[in-house]
Amino acid sequence: MRIVIVGNGMAGSRLAAEIRARDKDARVTVFGAETRAPYNRVLLSNVLAGTAGPEQVCLPTPAEGVDTRLGVTVTEIDRAARTVRTADGGGEPYDVLVLATGSEPVVPPIPGATRAIAFRTMDDCDRILGAAATATTAVVIGGGLLGVEAARGLSGRGMPVTLLHVAGHLMDRQLDAEAGLVLGEALAGLGVTVRTGARAAAVHPHGVELSTGEVLASELVVLACGVRPVTGLARDAGLPVGRGIIVDDRLRTADPAIYAIGECAQHDGTVYGLVAPAWEQAAVVADLVTGAGPAARYRGSRLVTRLKARSVELAAMGETHLTEESAGTVEVVRFTHRARGIYRKLVIRDDRLVGAILLGETPAVGTLTHLYDRGGPLPVDPAGLLFPGQDAAPRADSPVRMPDAARVCECNNVTKGRIRACWEAGARDTEAVVAATRATTGCGSCRDAVEGIIGWLCRQEEVRA
């Protein structure tokens, strides 16, 4: 069977590895428009901040036997001939085609927007760092997850940064107004000036003009105004497209020979913009196309958004915004300490956690994520979950109290039990456990927890000895 994957990002490269792990003889060809080997896009803000180099965010090398074509753009799908055409005039036949084309940055329709640099790829990161070498100030347009990461990354280099966001508070899709306020204050303490309710009207050679006429002087302007799925290839081939390429529970399009995964795919009305769902989808497609799991189905993902910005810890999951309709059906437990940049909120329905925001010191994030993901029952006094030093809420990062079923790495679905099993099988350091489980290779926020579990296991062995 000839399997062709269009897209060599975090979804496409993962799918190729998953397929080869199930079938060593699978014929897999991957086309990547970028000339670079696949890298972890989630960690680009660390490259901006200088806490990681480009080589440190590279993804594992392609699985043996995978034919990877870097810098080759697929321009057409000939469904009748089951062949993809490429910009260099070539073509590749397929029995199974998987579209993993990802997303592209949204560029606002304002004068001079092309003078700004979108923050999406490693090449974008290189351009931003090149400009930052001579710039004295920066403006980031867009206060969503990516914009916050970009602003924090640049401020980490000692550069004054102004973060503009058109909505009333930062990360308004994931956070409520109070959490957005606390986040803004935390960023201000790290050198980022936050301007909410601010609309950019134009980008000039030496600054950004606001809709009010005010001009913010800046030699570097970064765009982080959201992304849109790349669907043109599918649309031109006559496949149904909504916000993304429409797929069923098998992640198949209307053409049973063509699948779609990752940020370009729309499943059950939802387009997922995070890495964990893309990797879950890759596993399902690998099971199906290799025959390793013919009953595999994708039922959607429960999202946990993690902010990957140095000195700012944030996790948001589930129902974080309350409507008039939902307010009467849920219980809200909340704690705020603005001076310390702490905001914790639990949303509970029928004694189950259906949403949470954890900003600042978040020692209970593992426990809460586990409760949210599994729908487990809450303690009699759920307020104890906000203060994990109490017996009502075992610390998620305390291995002795953490159940083996607790997920440590959300992106790769790695539990404490799996880490323990790898350790007992001989993986006695972090690098060996990462190689065996892929833990920490997504957003990277679980690395401390993984290292803590390995250290605890080593100490237990020393005690027994």
Side-chain angles (χ1 to χ4, degrees), residues 14 58 60 409 412 414 418-419 422-423 427-442 444 446-447 450-451 454:
R14 178 62 164 260
C58 289
C409 177
N412 288 287
V414 180
R418 189 174 173 198
I419 293 172
C422 287
W423 186 88
R428 295 304 175 96
D429 58 29
T430 302
E431 286 66 31
V433 170
V434 169
T437 66
R438 296 195 181 107
T440 79
T441 62
C446 65
R447 189 171 186 89
V450 172
E451 292 176 345
I454 295 168

PDB file of all heavy atoms in Angstrom, residues 14 58 60 409 412 414 418-419 422-423 427-442 444 446-447 450-451 454:
ATOM      1  N   ARG A  14       4.466  12.872  12.853  1.00  0.00           N
ATOM      2  CA  ARG A  14       4.048  11.899  13.877  1.00  0.00           C
ATOM      3  C   ARG A  14       3.303  10.738  13.232  1.00  0.00           C
ATOM      4  O   ARG A  14       3.510   9.576  13.592  1.00  0.00           O
ATOM      5  CB  ARG A  14       3.170  12.599  14.902  1.00  0.00           C
ATOM      6  CG  ARG A  14       2.619  11.710  16.003  1.00  0.00           C
ATOM      7  CD  ARG A  14       3.740  11.082  16.849  1.00  0.00           C
ATOM      8  NE  ARG A  14       3.204  10.564  18.092  1.00  0.00           N
ATOM      9  CZ  ARG A  14       3.282  11.195  19.258  1.00  0.00           C
ATOM     10  NH1 ARG A  14       3.885  12.374  19.334  1.00  0.00           N
ATOM     11  NH2 ARG A  14       2.783  10.673  20.347  1.00  0.00           N
ATOM     12  N   CYS A  58      13.860  20.351  17.751  1.00  0.00           N
ATOM     13  CA  CYS A  58      13.673  19.419  16.634  1.00  0.00           C
ATOM     14  C   CYS A  58      12.896  18.199  17.107  1.00  0.00           C
ATOM     15  O   CYS A  58      13.076  17.725  18.230  1.00  0.00           O
ATOM     16  CB  CYS A  58      15.017  18.981  16.063  1.00  0.00           C
ATOM     17  SG  CYS A  58      15.887  20.261  15.156  1.00  0.00           S
ATOM     18  N   PRO A  60      11.887  14.056  16.661  1.00  0.00           N
ATOM     19  CA  PRO A  60      12.710  12.887  16.336  1.00  0.00           C
ATOM     20  C   PRO A  60      12.885  12.729  14.831  1.00  0.00           C
ATOM     21  O   PRO A  60      12.009  13.098  14.039  1.00  0.00           O
ATOM     22  CB  PRO A  60      11.898  11.723  16.930  1.00  0.00           C
ATOM     23  CG  PRO A  60      11.117  12.355  18.050  1.00  0.00           C
ATOM     24  CD  PRO A  60      10.770  13.734  17.571  1.00  0.00           C
ATOM     25  N   CYS A 409       1.964  13.486  31.017  1.00  0.00           N
ATOM     26  CA  CYS A 409       2.148  14.197  29.747  1.00  0.00           C
ATOM     27  C   CYS A 409       0.834  14.178  28.984  1.00  0.00           C
ATOM     28  O   CYS A 409       0.436  13.138  28.442  1.00  0.00           O
ATOM     29  CB  CYS A 409       3.263  13.553  28.923  1.00  0.00           C
ATOM     30  SG  CYS A 409       3.500  14.312  27.300  1.00  0.00           S
ATOM     31  N   ASN A 412       1.063  13.562  24.945  1.00  0.00           N
ATOM     32  CA  ASN A 412       1.348  12.212  24.457  1.00  0.00           C
ATOM     33  C   ASN A 412       0.634  11.121  25.240  1.00  0.00           C
ATOM     34  O   ASN A 412       0.923   9.940  25.054  1.00  0.00           O
ATOM     35  CB  ASN A 412       2.856  11.963  24.482  1.00  0.00           C
ATOM     36  CG  ASN A 412       3.581  12.734  23.413  1.00  0.00           C
ATOM     37  OD1 ASN A 412       3.509  12.404  22.239  1.00  0.00           O
ATOM     38  ND2 ASN A 412       4.259  13.801  23.804  1.00  0.00           N
ATOM     39  N   VAL A 414       0.802  10.111  28.378  1.00  0.00           N
ATOM     40  CA  VAL A 414       1.726   9.265  29.143  1.00  0.00           C
ATOM     41  C   VAL A 414       1.367   9.355  30.620  1.00  0.00           C
ATOM     42  O   VAL A 414       1.347  10.440  31.201  1.00  0.00           O
ATOM     43  CB  VAL A 414       3.187   9.703  28.934  1.00  0.00           C
ATOM     44  CG1 VAL A 414       4.130   8.807  29.737  1.00  0.00           C
ATOM     45  CG2 VAL A 414       3.546   9.666  27.457  1.00  0.00           C
ATOM     46  N   ARG A 418       2.998   4.359  33.152  1.00  0.00           N
ATOM     47  CA  ARG A 418       3.823   4.037  31.995  1.00  0.00           C
ATOM     48  C   ARG A 418       5.263   4.461  32.229  1.00  0.00           C
ATOM     49  O   ARG A 418       6.203   3.760  31.839  1.00  0.00           O
ATOM     50  CB  ARG A 418       3.261   4.732  30.754  1.00  0.00           C
ATOM     51  CG  ARG A 418       3.931   4.295  29.461  1.00  0.00           C
ATOM     52  CD  ARG A 418       3.248   4.888  28.271  1.00  0.00           C
ATOM     53  NE  ARG A 418       3.989   4.614  27.051  1.00  0.00           N
ATOM     54  CZ  ARG A 418       3.830   5.278  25.919  1.00  0.00           C
ATOM     55  NH1 ARG A 418       2.928   6.257  25.862  1.00  0.00           N
ATOM     56  NH2 ARG A 418       4.532   4.984  24.851  1.00  0.00           N
ATOM     57  N   ILE A 419       5.458   5.603  32.890  1.00  0.00           N
ATOM     58  CA  ILE A 419       6.819   6.035  33.219  1.00  0.00           C
ATOM     59  C   ILE A 419       7.457   5.036  34.172  1.00  0.00           C
ATOM     60  O   ILE A 419       8.622   4.652  34.017  1.00  0.00           O
ATOM     61  CB  ILE A 419       6.797   7.445  33.830  1.00  0.00           C
ATOM     62  CG1 ILE A 419       6.344   8.475  32.785  1.00  0.00           C
ATOM     63  CG2 ILE A 419       8.174   7.825  34.381  1.00  0.00           C
ATOM     64  CD1 ILE A 419       6.112   9.856  33.342  1.00  0.00           C
ATOM     65  N   CYS A 422       8.499   1.930  32.237  1.00  0.00           N
ATOM     66  CA  CYS A 422       9.723   2.160  31.459  1.00  0.00           C
ATOM     67  C   CYS A 422      10.944   2.145  32.356  1.00  0.00           C
ATOM     68  O   CYS A 422      11.986   1.572  32.004  1.00  0.00           O
ATOM     69  CB  CYS A 422       9.633   3.499  30.720  1.00  0.00           C
ATOM     70  SG  CYS A 422       8.499   3.489  29.332  1.00  0.00           S
ATOM     71  N   TRP A 423      10.806   2.768  33.507  1.00  0.00           N
ATOM     72  CA  TRP A 423      11.920   2.800  34.459  1.00  0.00           C
ATOM     73  C   TRP A 423      12.271   1.387  34.914  1.00  0.00           C
ATOM     74  O   TRP A 423      13.439   1.003  34.959  1.00  0.00           O
ATOM     75  CB  TRP A 423      11.540   3.679  35.650  1.00  0.00           C
ATOM     76  CG  TRP A 423      12.646   3.899  36.635  1.00  0.00           C
ATOM     77  CD1 TRP A 423      13.601   4.881  36.612  1.00  0.00           C
ATOM     78  CD2 TRP A 423      12.914   3.114  37.802  1.00  0.00           C
ATOM     79  NE1 TRP A 423      14.450   4.757  37.689  1.00  0.00           N
ATOM     80  CE2 TRP A 423      14.051   3.682  38.439  1.00  0.00           C
ATOM     81  CE3 TRP A 423      12.309   1.988  38.373  1.00  0.00           C
ATOM     82  CZ2 TRP A 423      14.587   3.148  39.607  1.00  0.00           C
ATOM     83  CZ3 TRP A 423      12.848   1.464  39.535  1.00  0.00           C
ATOM     84  CH2 TRP A 423      13.970   2.046  40.144  1.00  0.00           C
ATOM     85  N   ALA A 427      14.851   2.053  31.667  1.00  0.00           N
ATOM     86  CA  ALA A 427      15.015   3.458  31.283  1.00  0.00           C
ATOM     87  C   ALA A 427      15.208   4.272  32.554  1.00  0.00           C
ATOM     88  O   ALA A 427      14.245   4.745  33.152  1.00  0.00           O
ATOM     89  CB  ALA A 427      13.784   3.935  30.504  1.00  0.00           C
ATOM     90  N   ARG A 428      16.464   4.459  32.968  1.00  0.00           N
ATOM     91  CA  ARG A 428      16.752   4.998  34.292  1.00  0.00           C
ATOM     92  C   ARG A 428      17.052   6.502  34.318  1.00  0.00           C
ATOM     93  O   ARG A 428      17.437   7.019  35.355  1.00  0.00           O
ATOM     94  CB  ARG A 428      17.912   4.231  34.913  1.00  0.00           C
ATOM     95  CG  ARG A 428      17.587   2.755  35.184  1.00  0.00           C
ATOM     96  CD  ARG A 428      16.348   2.630  36.065  1.00  0.00           C
ATOM     97  NE  ARG A 428      15.911   1.273  36.280  1.00  0.00           N
ATOM     98  CZ  ARG A 428      16.231   0.538  37.344  1.00  0.00           C
ATOM     99  NH1 ARG A 428      17.017   1.046  38.269  1.00  0.00           N
ATOM    100  NH2 ARG A 428      15.765  -0.680  37.472  1.00  0.00           N
ATOM    101  N   ASP A 429      16.918   7.191  33.194  1.00  0.00           N
ATOM    102  CA  ASP A 429      17.082   8.643  33.214  1.00  0.00           C
ATOM    103  C   ASP A 429      16.036   9.276  32.301  1.00  0.00           C
ATOM    104  O   ASP A 429      15.303   8.582  31.590  1.00  0.00           O
ATOM    105  CB  ASP A 429      18.502   9.056  32.811  1.00  0.00           C
ATOM    106  CG  ASP A 429      18.907   8.564  31.433  1.00  0.00           C
ATOM    107  OD1 ASP A 429      18.021   8.390  30.563  1.00  0.00           O
ATOM    108  OD2 ASP A 429      20.100   8.343  31.206  1.00  0.00           O
ATOM    109  N   THR A 430      15.967  10.593  32.348  1.00  0.00           N
ATOM    110  CA  THR A 430      14.918  11.304  31.615  1.00  0.00           C
ATOM    111  C   THR A 430      15.000  11.046  30.122  1.00  0.00           C
ATOM    112  O   THR A 430      13.981  10.800  29.457  1.00  0.00           O
ATOM    113  CB  THR A 430      15.012  12.824  31.891  1.00  0.00           C
ATOM    114  OG1 THR A 430      14.901  13.053  33.293  1.00  0.00           O
ATOM    115  CG2 THR A 430      13.909  13.575  31.158  1.00  0.00           C
ATOM    116  N   GLU A 431      16.211  11.084  29.562  1.00  0.00           N
ATOM    117  CA  GLU A 431      16.359  10.903  28.121  1.00  0.00           C
ATOM    118  C   GLU A 431      15.846   9.542  27.681  1.00  0.00           C
ATOM    119  O   GLU A 431      15.199   9.413  26.636  1.00  0.00           O
ATOM    120  CB  GLU A 431      17.833  11.075  27.724  1.00  0.00           C
ATOM    121  CG  GLU A 431      18.331  12.515  27.754  1.00  0.00           C
ATOM    122  CD  GLU A 431      18.345  13.112  29.161  1.00  0.00           C
ATOM    123  OE1 GLU A 431      18.545  12.347  30.142  1.00  0.00           O
ATOM    124  OE2 GLU A 431      18.130  14.331  29.276  1.00  0.00           O
ATOM    125  N   ALA A 432      16.114   8.510  28.473  1.00  0.00           N
ATOM    126  CA  ALA A 432      15.663   7.169  28.113  1.00  0.00           C
ATOM    127  C   ALA A 432      14.146   7.059  28.190  1.00  0.00           C
ATOM    128  O   ALA A 432      13.503   6.435  27.334  1.00  0.00           O
ATOM    129  CB  ALA A 432      16.325   6.137  29.025  1.00  0.00           C
ATOM    130  N   VAL A 433      13.547   7.673  29.208  1.00  0.00           N
ATOM    131  CA  VAL A 433      12.087   7.646  29.335  1.00  0.00           C
ATOM    132  C   VAL A 433      11.431   8.431  28.202  1.00  0.00           C
ATOM    133  O   VAL A 433      10.424   8.016  27.627  1.00  0.00           O
ATOM    134  CB  VAL A 433      11.655   8.200  30.704  1.00  0.00           C
ATOM    135  CG1 VAL A 433      10.151   8.397  30.761  1.00  0.00           C
ATOM    136  CG2 VAL A 433      12.098   7.254  31.817  1.00  0.00           C
ATOM    137  N   VAL A 434      12.020   9.573  27.851  1.00  0.00           N
ATOM    138  CA  VAL A 434      11.489  10.375  26.742  1.00  0.00           C
ATOM    139  C   VAL A 434      11.547   9.581  25.439  1.00  0.00           C
ATOM    140  O   VAL A 434      10.596   9.566  24.650  1.00  0.00           O
ATOM    141  CB  VAL A 434      12.276  11.695  26.608  1.00  0.00           C
ATOM    142  CG1 VAL A 434      11.916  12.415  25.307  1.00  0.00           C
ATOM    143  CG2 VAL A 434      11.986  12.599  27.796  1.00  0.00           C
ATOM    144  N   ALA A 435      12.656   8.888  25.210  1.00  0.00           N
ATOM    145  CA  ALA A 435      12.795   8.097  23.989  1.00  0.00           C
ATOM    146  C   ALA A 435      11.753   6.987  23.915  1.00  0.00           C
ATOM    147  O   ALA A 435      11.241   6.657  22.838  1.00  0.00           O
ATOM    148  CB  ALA A 435      14.206   7.510  23.909  1.00  0.00           C
ATOM    149  N   ALA A 436      11.409   6.416  25.070  1.00  0.00           N
ATOM    150  CA  ALA A 436      10.462   5.301  25.093  1.00  0.00           C
ATOM    151  C   ALA A 436       9.005   5.740  25.055  1.00  0.00           C
ATOM    152  O   ALA A 436       8.153   5.020  24.537  1.00  0.00           O
ATOM    153  CB  ALA A 436      10.708   4.449  26.348  1.00  0.00           C
ATOM    154  N   THR A 437       8.696   6.932  25.593  1.00  0.00           N
ATOM    155  CA  THR A 437       7.294   7.341  25.751  1.00  0.00           C
ATOM    156  C   THR A 437       6.914   8.591  24.977  1.00  0.00           C
ATOM    157  O   THR A 437       5.743   8.871  24.808  1.00  0.00           O
ATOM    158  CB  THR A 437       6.985   7.616  27.230  1.00  0.00           C
ATOM    159  OG1 THR A 437       7.745   8.756  27.664  1.00  0.00           O
ATOM    160  CG2 THR A 437       7.338   6.416  28.103  1.00  0.00           C
ATOM    161  N   ARG A 438       7.903   9.395  24.555  1.00  0.00           N
ATOM    162  CA  ARG A 438       7.701  10.712  23.932  1.00  0.00           C
ATOM    163  C   ARG A 438       7.211  11.758  24.932  1.00  0.00           C
ATOM    164  O   ARG A 438       6.835  12.861  24.539  1.00  0.00           O
ATOM    165  CB  ARG A 438       6.725  10.647  22.752  1.00  0.00           C
ATOM    166  CG  ARG A 438       7.170   9.808  21.572  1.00  0.00           C
ATOM    167  CD  ARG A 438       6.302  10.154  20.372  1.00  0.00           C
ATOM    168  NE  ARG A 438       6.626   9.383  19.192  1.00  0.00           N
ATOM    169  CZ  ARG A 438       5.867   8.409  18.712  1.00  0.00           C
ATOM    170  NH1 ARG A 438       4.745   8.092  19.331  1.00  0.00           N
ATOM    171  NH2 ARG A 438       6.205   7.774  17.617  1.00  0.00           N
ATOM    172  N   ALA A 439       7.157  11.429  26.208  1.00  0.00           N
ATOM    173  CA  ALA A 439       6.774  12.426  27.210  1.00  0.00           C
ATOM    174  C   ALA A 439       7.708  13.628  27.112  1.00  0.00           C
ATOM    175  O   ALA A 439       8.897  13.468  26.820  1.00  0.00           O
ATOM    176  CB  ALA A 439       6.838  11.827  28.611  1.00  0.00           C
ATOM    177  N   THR A 440       7.179  14.810  27.343  1.00  0.00           N
ATOM    178  CA  THR A 440       7.867  16.117  27.314  1.00  0.00           C
ATOM    179  C   THR A 440       8.080  16.661  25.919  1.00  0.00           C
ATOM    180  O   THR A 440       8.521  17.801  25.760  1.00  0.00           O
ATOM    181  CB  THR A 440       9.240  16.122  28.031  1.00  0.00           C
ATOM    182  OG1 THR A 440      10.240  15.542  27.186  1.00  0.00           O
ATOM    183  CG2 THR A 440       9.188  15.384  29.357  1.00  0.00           C
ATOM    184  N   THR A 441       7.764  15.894  24.838  1.00  0.00           N
ATOM    185  CA  THR A 441       8.073  16.356  23.483  1.00  0.00           C
ATOM    186  C   THR A 441       6.944  17.161  22.858  1.00  0.00           C
ATOM    187  O   THR A 441       7.052  17.560  21.699  1.00  0.00           O
ATOM    188  CB  THR A 441       8.401  15.166  22.556  1.00  0.00           C
ATOM    189  OG1 THR A 441       7.257  14.311  22.460  1.00  0.00           O
ATOM    190  CG2 THR A 441       9.578  14.382  23.081  1.00  0.00           C
ATOM    191  N   GLY A 442       5.867  17.389  23.618  1.00  0.00           N
ATOM    192  CA  GLY A 442       4.794  18.244  23.122  1.00  0.00           C
ATOM    193  C   GLY A 442       5.020  19.666  23.571  1.00  0.00           C
ATOM    194  O   GLY A 442       5.927  20.349  23.089  1.00  0.00           O
ATOM    195  N   GLY A 444       6.056  20.522  26.470  1.00  0.00           N
ATOM    196  CA  GLY A 444       7.233  20.554  27.327  1.00  0.00           C
ATOM    197  C   GLY A 444       6.960  20.908  28.772  1.00  0.00           C
ATOM    198  O   GLY A 444       7.873  20.878  29.605  1.00  0.00           O
ATOM    199  N   CYS A 446       5.519  19.334  31.089  1.00  0.00           N
ATOM    200  CA  CYS A 446       5.517  18.226  32.053  1.00  0.00           C
ATOM    201  C   CYS A 446       6.927  17.764  32.421  1.00  0.00           C
ATOM    202  O   CYS A 446       7.082  16.806  33.184  1.00  0.00           O
ATOM    203  CB  CYS A 446       4.720  17.047  31.501  1.00  0.00           C
ATOM    204  SG  CYS A 446       5.459  16.308  30.018  1.00  0.00           S
ATOM    205  N   ARG A 447       7.941  18.411  31.879  1.00  0.00           N
ATOM    206  CA  ARG A 447       9.297  17.891  32.076  1.00  0.00           C
ATOM    207  C   ARG A 447       9.676  17.799  33.551  1.00  0.00           C
ATOM    208  O   ARG A 447      10.270  16.811  33.988  1.00  0.00           O
ATOM    209  CB  ARG A 447      10.320  18.736  31.311  1.00  0.00           C
ATOM    210  CG  ARG A 447      11.703  18.098  31.324  1.00  0.00           C
ATOM    211  CD  ARG A 447      12.683  18.781  30.406  1.00  0.00           C
ATOM    212  NE  ARG A 447      13.936  18.047  30.349  1.00  0.00           N
ATOM    213  CZ  ARG A 447      14.214  17.072  29.507  1.00  0.00           C
ATOM    214  NH1 ARG A 447      13.300  16.702  28.630  1.00  0.00           N
ATOM    215  NH2 ARG A 447      15.363  16.446  29.523  1.00  0.00           N
ATOM    216  N   VAL A 450       8.018  14.743  35.037  1.00  0.00           N
ATOM    217  CA  VAL A 450       8.660  13.502  34.594  1.00  0.00           C
ATOM    218  C   VAL A 450       9.975  13.305  35.343  1.00  0.00           C
ATOM    219  O   VAL A 450      10.263  12.210  35.851  1.00  0.00           O
ATOM    220  CB  VAL A 450       8.900  13.536  33.074  1.00  0.00           C
ATOM    221  CG1 VAL A 450       9.741  12.339  32.632  1.00  0.00           C
ATOM    222  CG2 VAL A 450       7.565  13.534  32.328  1.00  0.00           C
ATOM    223  N   GLU A 451      10.788  14.345  35.419  1.00  0.00           N
ATOM    224  CA  GLU A 451      12.065  14.231  36.139  1.00  0.00           C
ATOM    225  C   GLU A 451      11.840  13.926  37.615  1.00  0.00           C
ATOM    226  O   GLU A 451      12.606  13.172  38.230  1.00  0.00           O
ATOM    227  CB  GLU A 451      12.858  15.526  35.975  1.00  0.00           C
ATOM    228  CG  GLU A 451      13.350  15.747  34.549  1.00  0.00           C
ATOM    229  CD  GLU A 451      14.052  17.081  34.367  1.00  0.00           C
ATOM    230  OE1 GLU A 451      13.901  17.954  35.256  1.00  0.00           O
ATOM    231  OE2 GLU A 451      14.749  17.254  33.355  1.00  0.00           O
ATOM    232  N   ILE A 454      11.017  10.177  37.985  1.00  0.00           N
ATOM    233  CA  ILE A 454      12.210   9.356  37.799  1.00  0.00           C
ATOM    234  C   ILE A 454      13.120   9.470  39.018  1.00  0.00           C
ATOM    235  O   ILE A 454      13.650   8.465  39.516  1.00  0.00           O
ATOM    236  CB  ILE A 454      12.955   9.779  36.521  1.00  0.00           C
ATOM    237  CG1 ILE A 454      12.085   9.490  35.294  1.00  0.00           C
ATOM    238  CG2 ILE A 454      14.290   9.052  36.398  1.00  0.00           C
ATOM    239  CD1 ILE A 454      12.593  10.125  34.025  1.00  0.00           C
TER     240      ILE A 454
END
